[in-house]
PDB file of all heavy atoms in Angstrom:
ATOM      1  N   SER F 157    -169.306 -34.211 -16.918  1.00  0.00           N
ATOM      2  CA  SER F 157    -170.355 -34.966 -16.227  1.00  0.00           C
ATOM      3  C   SER F 157    -171.732 -34.618 -16.771  1.00  0.00           C
ATOM      4  O   SER F 157    -172.572 -35.503 -17.002  1.00  0.00           O
ATOM      5  CB  SER F 157    -170.314 -34.691 -14.723  1.00  0.00           C
ATOM      6  OG  SER F 157    -169.131 -35.191 -14.167  1.00  0.00           O
ATOM      7  N   ALA F 158    -171.982 -33.328 -16.994  1.00  0.00           N
ATOM      8  CA  ALA F 158    -173.277 -32.909 -17.519  1.00  0.00           C
ATOM      9  C   ALA F 158    -173.509 -33.471 -18.921  1.00  0.00           C
ATOM     10  O   ALA F 158    -174.605 -33.937 -19.246  1.00  0.00           O
ATOM     11  CB  ALA F 158    -173.365 -31.385 -17.538  1.00  0.00           C
ATOM     12  N   CYS F 159    -172.463 -33.440 -19.741  1.00  0.00           N
ATOM     13  CA  CYS F 159    -172.594 -33.977 -21.094  1.00  0.00           C
ATOM     14  C   CYS F 159    -172.822 -35.483 -21.073  1.00  0.00           C
ATOM     15  O   CYS F 159    -173.620 -36.017 -21.856  1.00  0.00           O
ATOM     16  CB  CYS F 159    -171.344 -33.640 -21.907  1.00  0.00           C
ATOM     17  SG  CYS F 159    -171.177 -31.885 -22.293  1.00  0.00           S
ATOM     18  N   GLU F 160    -172.124 -36.175 -20.184  1.00  0.00           N
ATOM     19  CA  GLU F 160    -172.316 -37.614 -20.051  1.00  0.00           C
ATOM     20  C   GLU F 160    -173.729 -37.940 -19.580  1.00  0.00           C
ATOM     21  O   GLU F 160    -174.365 -38.875 -20.068  1.00  0.00           O
ATOM     22  CB  GLU F 160    -171.283 -38.192 -19.084  1.00  0.00           C
ATOM     23  CG  GLU F 160    -169.867 -38.221 -19.651  1.00  0.00           C
ATOM     24  CD  GLU F 160    -168.830 -38.556 -18.594  1.00  0.00           C
ATOM     25  OE1 GLU F 160    -169.228 -38.786 -17.434  1.00  0.00           O
ATOM     26  OE2 GLU F 160    -167.632 -38.584 -18.927  1.00  0.00           O
ATOM     27  N   GLU F 161    -174.227 -37.146 -18.616  1.00  0.00           N
ATOM     28  CA  GLU F 161    -175.587 -37.352 -18.127  1.00  0.00           C
ATOM     29  C   GLU F 161    -176.584 -37.153 -19.259  1.00  0.00           C
ATOM     30  O   GLU F 161    -177.525 -37.935 -19.422  1.00  0.00           O
ATOM     31  CB  GLU F 161    -175.890 -36.364 -16.990  1.00  0.00           C
ATOM     32  CG  GLU F 161    -175.010 -36.530 -15.769  1.00  0.00           C
ATOM     33  CD  GLU F 161    -175.599 -37.466 -14.733  1.00  0.00           C
ATOM     34  OE1 GLU F 161    -176.493 -37.049 -13.986  1.00  0.00           O
ATOM     35  OE2 GLU F 161    -175.147 -38.624 -14.680  1.00  0.00           O
ATOM     36  N   ALA F 162    -176.397 -36.091 -20.034  1.00  0.00           N
ATOM     37  CA  ALA F 162    -177.320 -35.797 -21.131  1.00  0.00           C
ATOM     38  C   ALA F 162    -177.318 -36.916 -22.163  1.00  0.00           C
ATOM     39  O   ALA F 162    -178.374 -37.372 -22.626  1.00  0.00           O
ATOM     40  CB  ALA F 162    -176.947 -34.465 -21.777  1.00  0.00           C
ATOM     41  N   ASN F 163    -176.124 -37.364 -22.538  1.00  0.00           N
ATOM     42  CA  ASN F 163    -176.030 -38.455 -23.507  1.00  0.00           C
ATOM     43  C   ASN F 163    -176.690 -39.721 -22.979  1.00  0.00           C
ATOM     44  O   ASN F 163    -177.416 -40.413 -23.698  1.00  0.00           O
ATOM     45  CB  ASN F 163    -174.559 -38.739 -23.833  1.00  0.00           C
ATOM     46  CG  ASN F 163    -174.123 -38.117 -25.141  1.00  0.00           C
ATOM     47  OD1 ASN F 163    -174.895 -38.072 -26.094  1.00  0.00           O
ATOM     48  ND2 ASN F 163    -172.902 -37.633 -25.180  1.00  0.00           N
ATOM     49  N   PHE F 164    -176.429 -40.041 -21.717  1.00  0.00           N
ATOM     50  CA  PHE F 164    -177.014 -41.237 -21.115  1.00  0.00           C
ATOM     51  C   PHE F 164    -178.536 -41.156 -21.109  1.00  0.00           C
ATOM     52  O   PHE F 164    -179.228 -42.146 -21.395  1.00  0.00           O
ATOM     53  CB  PHE F 164    -176.491 -41.417 -19.695  1.00  0.00           C
ATOM     54  CG  PHE F 164    -177.041 -42.626 -18.982  1.00  0.00           C
ATOM     55  CD1 PHE F 164    -176.501 -43.885 -19.188  1.00  0.00           C
ATOM     56  CD2 PHE F 164    -178.129 -42.513 -18.126  1.00  0.00           C
ATOM     57  CE1 PHE F 164    -177.012 -45.003 -18.551  1.00  0.00           C
ATOM     58  CE2 PHE F 164    -178.654 -43.617 -17.484  1.00  0.00           C
ATOM     59  CZ  PHE F 164    -178.094 -44.873 -17.700  1.00  0.00           C
ATOM     60  N   LEU F 165    -179.074 -39.999 -20.799  1.00  0.00           N
ATOM     61  CA  LEU F 165    -180.521 -39.839 -20.691  1.00  0.00           C
ATOM     62  C   LEU F 165    -181.235 -40.010 -22.019  1.00  0.00           C
ATOM     63  O   LEU F 165    -182.428 -40.352 -22.055  1.00  0.00           O
ATOM     64  CB  LEU F 165    -180.852 -38.474 -20.089  1.00  0.00           C
ATOM     65  CG  LEU F 165    -180.582 -38.346 -18.592  1.00  0.00           C
ATOM     66  CD1 LEU F 165    -180.590 -36.886 -18.166  1.00  0.00           C
ATOM     67  CD2 LEU F 165    -181.603 -39.141 -17.784  1.00  0.00           C
ATOM     68  N   THR F 166    -180.530 -39.815 -23.130  1.00  0.00           N
ATOM     69  CA  THR F 166    -181.178 -40.005 -24.434  1.00  0.00           C
ATOM     70  C   THR F 166    -181.522 -41.466 -24.694  1.00  0.00           C
ATOM     71  O   THR F 166    -182.274 -41.770 -25.626  1.00  0.00           O
ATOM     72  CB  THR F 166    -180.293 -39.477 -25.586  1.00  0.00           C
ATOM     73  OG1 THR F 166    -179.036 -40.169 -25.601  1.00  0.00           O
ATOM     74  CG2 THR F 166    -180.064 -37.982 -25.441  1.00  0.00           C
ATOM     75  N   ARG F 167    -181.001 -42.363 -23.882  1.00  0.00           N
ATOM     76  CA  ARG F 167    -181.404 -43.777 -24.007  1.00  0.00           C
ATOM     77  C   ARG F 167    -182.860 -43.961 -23.622  1.00  0.00           C
ATOM     78  O   ARG F 167    -183.513 -44.923 -24.042  1.00  0.00           O
ATOM     79  CB  ARG F 167    -180.539 -44.659 -23.104  1.00  0.00           C
ATOM     80  CG  ARG F 167    -179.058 -44.592 -23.366  1.00  0.00           C
ATOM     81  CD  ARG F 167    -178.331 -45.552 -22.443  1.00  0.00           C
ATOM     82  NE  ARG F 167    -176.877 -45.418 -22.524  1.00  0.00           N
ATOM     83  CZ  ARG F 167    -176.024 -46.181 -21.867  1.00  0.00           C
ATOM     84  NH1 ARG F 167    -176.479 -47.138 -21.076  1.00  0.00           N
ATOM     85  NH2 ARG F 167    -174.724 -45.981 -21.990  1.00  0.00           N
TER      86      ARG F 167
END
Side-chain angles (χ1 to χ4, degrees):
S157 294
C159 291
E160 289 169 1
E161 298 268 282
N163 260 323
F164 180 82
L165 286 165
T166 60
R167 302 182 187 183

